[in-house]
């Protein structure tokens, strides 16, 4: 028979009364606390004993095996009334007493509340602030990257958005919950009593379900171009996740799952789903590469809106042609690259499709900003391209043969390896108008 056990149970750092009551129940059942953390409690087996427990919040960190002189004096003071230390968790002391009605160690509720706040502020709140700060930084970084990079690239970096939501969900619910509890406790302390209300995990579960819904939405958004079988798998995972989330949120009392186990199940499940939402979009960039002139064919030639052959009459076999495609249900991109192998000029262009009209202006702003990073974007004649707007790159004191064209519902960036003639511009305009 095992003489040790590890119990995964969730008590808020400041929920002293309910933790003390739980430890008394375990001692009566023959288990005495040996160590405590915010994630689990370790017990050792003893003879069933009726003990009283008190949770004390100390102003400096306490390690049971390495006590300072001040801490030893405090424990000696407690020992005079029968209290002895059984476990320590940084600034939390867990004391036990064999007396039926022991003399309380602390009696002033305002002092008790102040000690709790000092301990929580130095240990728990600092970690929560770090989580929230990390989440905000991820969201700021996502906004800095822009919608095109987030939703139109071949391997969308959804982890910036997901991690932002995840860190905020880890920090905000507990932070809000603590200050709600503290407000009630201060009101009770002013009346001479200590508030022993139970902090609720409801905010945590709601936040986790919101993160789950956010991850699920990103998975659906980034399912662009994925085959129906994989879409079915994604939908199945989403459905199972929703069922588990609702079960943990609403069915915990019926299933008699402890709050700690339930919270851990939700956390681990959503962590796995978070990882899935990051990894799913990766690897769905279809790449074609072939070169007839070198006798190497890696894939069938893609359907290209226009090619260098149509513009210059050059042989298709003189080029290595590649196509990259990817994106999401909001935005997507097709990139076509034709590199010469025999001294002919190169020809490259990228088409960005806007599937959600409300993102058109933001997409245009991001593309123009990226275009201008290489030099200066000057306004060009849009009528020759049959476009709504056109820009040409000005770099190193001269205009380059690099254009950004804005059409209704899509954008095209073209890089010519030569100076295009009016006839070639007309062909390009016709081809792009037929997309």
């Amino acid at each position: 028979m095992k003489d040790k056990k590890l119990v995964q149970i969730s008590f808020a750092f400041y929920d002293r009364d309910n933790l003390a009551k739980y430890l008394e129940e375990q001692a009566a059942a023959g288990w005495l606390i040996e160590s405590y953390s915010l994630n689990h409690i370790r017990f050792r087996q003893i003879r069933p004993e009726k003990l009283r427990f008190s949770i004390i919040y100390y102003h400096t960190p306490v390690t049971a095996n390495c006590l300072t002189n001040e801490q030893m004096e405090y424990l000696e003071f407690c020992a005079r009334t029968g209290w002895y230390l059984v476990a320590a968790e940084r600034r939390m002391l867990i004391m036990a007493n064999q007396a039926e009605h022991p003399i309380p160690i602390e009696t002033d509720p305002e002092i008790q509340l102040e000690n709790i706040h000092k301990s929580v502020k130095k240990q728990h709140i600092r970690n929560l602030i770090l989580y929230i700060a990390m989440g905000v930084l991820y969201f700021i970084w996502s906004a800095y990257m822009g919608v095109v990079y987030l939703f139109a690239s071949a391997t969308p970096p959804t982890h910036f958005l997901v991690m932002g939501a995840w860190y905020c969900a880890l920090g905000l619910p507990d932070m809000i919950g603590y200050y709600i509890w503290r407000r009630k406790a201060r009101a009770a302390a002013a009346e001479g009593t200590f508030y022993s209300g139970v902090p609720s995990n409801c905010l945590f579960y709601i936040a986790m379900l919101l993160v789950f819904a956010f991850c699920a939405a990103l998975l659906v958004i980034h399912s662009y171009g994925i085959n129906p079988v994989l879409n079915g798998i994604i939908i199945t995972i989403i459905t199972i996740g929703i069922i588990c989330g609702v079960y943990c949120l609403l069915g915990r009392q019926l299933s008699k799952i402890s709050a700690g186990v339930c919270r851990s199940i939700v956390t681990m499940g959503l962590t796995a789903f978070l990882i899935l939402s990051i990894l799913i979009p990766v690897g769905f960039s279809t790449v074609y590469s072939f070169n007839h002139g070198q006798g190497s064919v890696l894939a069938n030639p893609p359907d290209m809106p226009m090619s260098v052959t149509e513009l210059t009459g050059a042989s298709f076999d003189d080029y290595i042609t590649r196509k990259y495609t990817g994106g999401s249900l909001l935005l997507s991109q097709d990139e076509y690259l034709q590199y010469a192998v025999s001294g002919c000029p190169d020809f490259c262009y990228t088409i960005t499709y806007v599937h959600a009209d409300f993102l058109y202006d933001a997409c245009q702003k991001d593309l123009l900003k990226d275009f201008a990073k290489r030099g200066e974007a000057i306004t060009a004649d849009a009528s020759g391209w049959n476009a709504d707007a056109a820009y040409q790159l000005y770099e190193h004191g001269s205009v380059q043969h690099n254009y950004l064209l804005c059409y209704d519902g899509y954008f095209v960036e073209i890089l010519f390896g030569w100076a295009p003639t009016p006839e070639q511009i007309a062909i390009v305009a016709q081809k792009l108008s037929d997309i």
Side-chain angles (χ1 to χ4, degrees):
M1 183 176 178
K2 293 183 179 180
D3 59 354
K4 304 275 187 180
K5 77 172 181 177
L6 191 67
V7 178
Q8 197 168 30
I9 194 160
S10 176
F11 286 101
F13 182 77
Y14 47 91
D15 188 14
R16 63 168 205 177
D17 290 349
N18 288 291
L19 175 58
K21 182 180 178 182
Y22 174 76
L23 296 179
E24 291 172 6
E25 293 172 352
Q26 291 296 310
W31 295 99
L32 179 65
I33 181 174
E34 192 173 64
S35 65
Y36 174 82
S37 75
L38 296 180
N39 298 320
H40 62 268
I41 303 176
R42 186 181 298 277
F43 292 91
R44 62 180 176 86
Q45 194 171 32
I46 60 171
R47 284 188 175 184
E49 189 174 1
K50 193 172 184 179
L51 297 175
R52 293 291 178 262
F53 288 87
S54 180
I55 313 301
I56 305 300
Y57 299 87
Y58 203 70
H59 59 274
T60 58
V62 180
T63 303
N65 299 326
C66 186
L67 298 173
T68 65
N69 291 334
E70 180 188 356
Q71 292 166 353
M72 292 180 65
E73 290 177 3
Y74 180 80
L75 294 179
E76 289 175 1
F77 169 78
C78 295
R80 295 172 189 170
T81 54
W83 293 101
Y84 60 93
L85 180 68
V86 291
E89 200 277 326
R90 298 187 184 180
R91 290 180 170 84
M92 178 190 289
L93 304 179
I94 300 178
M95 314 289 289
N97 197 314
Q98 296 177 331
E100 178 71 21
H101 300 289
I103 299 174
I105 299 175
E106 297 177 329
T107 57
D108 190 328
E110 292 187 349
I111 295 177
Q112 296 174 48
L113 182 60
E114 185 61 25
N115 290 338
I116 290 175
H117 184 61
K118 287 180 180 178
S119 299
V120 170
K121 185 170 60 175
K122 291 181 180 179
Q123 176 179 334
H124 197 49
I125 295 297
R126 182 174 55 188
N127 296 336
L128 297 180
I129 291 175
L130 179 62
Y131 282 134
I132 296 170
M134 288 292 294
V136 172
L137 285 176
Y138 272 114
F139 281 123
I140 292 174
W141 184 245
S142 299
Y144 173 77
M145 289 188 300
V147 295
V148 175
Y149 185 68
L150 287 173
F151 297 110
S153 57
T155 54
T158 56
H159 55 281
F160 288 104
L161 291 171
V162 172
M163 292 303 293
W166 180 248
Y167 275 111
C168 286
L170 287 178
L172 277 174
D174 288 342
M175 176 79 81
I176 295 171
Y178 169 70
Y179 279 101
I180 290 175
W181 177 89
R182 185 167 183 263
R183 179 176 58 83
K184 295 178 180 179
R186 291 178 67 179
E191 298 177 0
T193 60
F194 185 85
Y195 177 72
S196 58
V198 180
S200 174
N201 280 322
C202 184
L203 284 175
F204 171 79
Y205 292 132
I206 292 174
M208 290 294 103
L209 288 177
L210 289 176
V211 172
F212 170 82
F214 184 66
C215 295
L218 287 178
L219 276 178
V220 173
I221 288 172
H222 285 298
S223 65
Y224 176 79
I226 301 177
N227 62 63
V229 174
L230 192 53
N231 270 326
I233 294 174
I234 291 175
I235 293 173
T236 301
I237 293 173
I238 292 173
T239 304
I240 293 174
I242 292 175
I243 293 173
C244 291
V246 173
Y247 177 77
C248 288
L249 181 60
L250 302 179
R252 183 173 66 84
Q253 296 298 330
L254 295 177
S255 62
K256 299 187 183 303
I257 299 176
S258 71
V261 173
C262 183
R263 182 163 174 156
S264 297
I265 290 174
V266 174
T267 303
M268 290 186 293
L270 287 178
T271 300
F273 191 77
L274 178 147
I275 295 172
L276 179 67
S277 66
I278 293 175
L279 297 180
I280 278 292
V282 176
F284 290 100
S285 173
T286 306
V287 179
Y288 304 88
S289 179
F290 52 91
N291 177 11
H292 288 206
Q294 298 294 319
S296 174
V297 180
L298 300 182
N300 294 324
D303 295 329
M304 301 181 66
M306 54 187 173
S307 67
V308 70
T309 303
E310 297 172 300
L311 299 178
T312 66
S315 172
F316 194 78
D317 293 342
D318 292 334
Y319 284 86
I320 296 175
T321 302
R322 292 174 180 166
K323 174 188 177 183
Y324 300 88
T325 185
S328 67
L329 299 178
L330 300 177
L331 302 171
S332 61
Q333 282 186 332
D334 289 334
E335 184 177 7
Y336 302 90
L337 310 172
Q338 289 192 282
Y339 298 117
V341 294
S342 59
C344 297
D346 297 335
F347 182 54
C348 308
Y349 59 98
T350 301
I351 304 176
T352 303
Y353 299 94
V354 182
H355 306 298
D357 293 339
F358 66 90
L359 289 178
Y360 185 90
D361 291 339
C363 185
Q364 181 178 8
K365 182 179 179 180
D366 285 350
L367 290 172
L368 191 57
K369 180 180 178 181
D370 183 66
F371 186 73
K373 286 180 180 178
R374 284 159 276 172
E376 181 183 354
I378 61 175
T379 304
D381 181 17
S383 60
W385 302 95
N386 289 338
D388 298 329
Y391 302 91
Q392 189 172 5
L393 184 65
Y394 183 85
E395 187 181 20
H396 305 306
S398 62
V399 291
Q400 306 297 312
H401 308 304
N402 194 175
Y403 299 87
L404 176 63
L405 310 175
C406 307
Y407 294 89
D408 184 18
Y410 59 96
F411 301 90
V412 182
E413 182 180 347
I414 305 177
L415 176 59
F416 294 94
W418 71 94
T421 65
E423 291 77 14
Q424 291 171 338
I425 290 177
I427 295 174
V428 171
Q430 179 62 42
K431 294 286 185 179
L432 294 180
S433 298
D434 294 337
I435 292 178

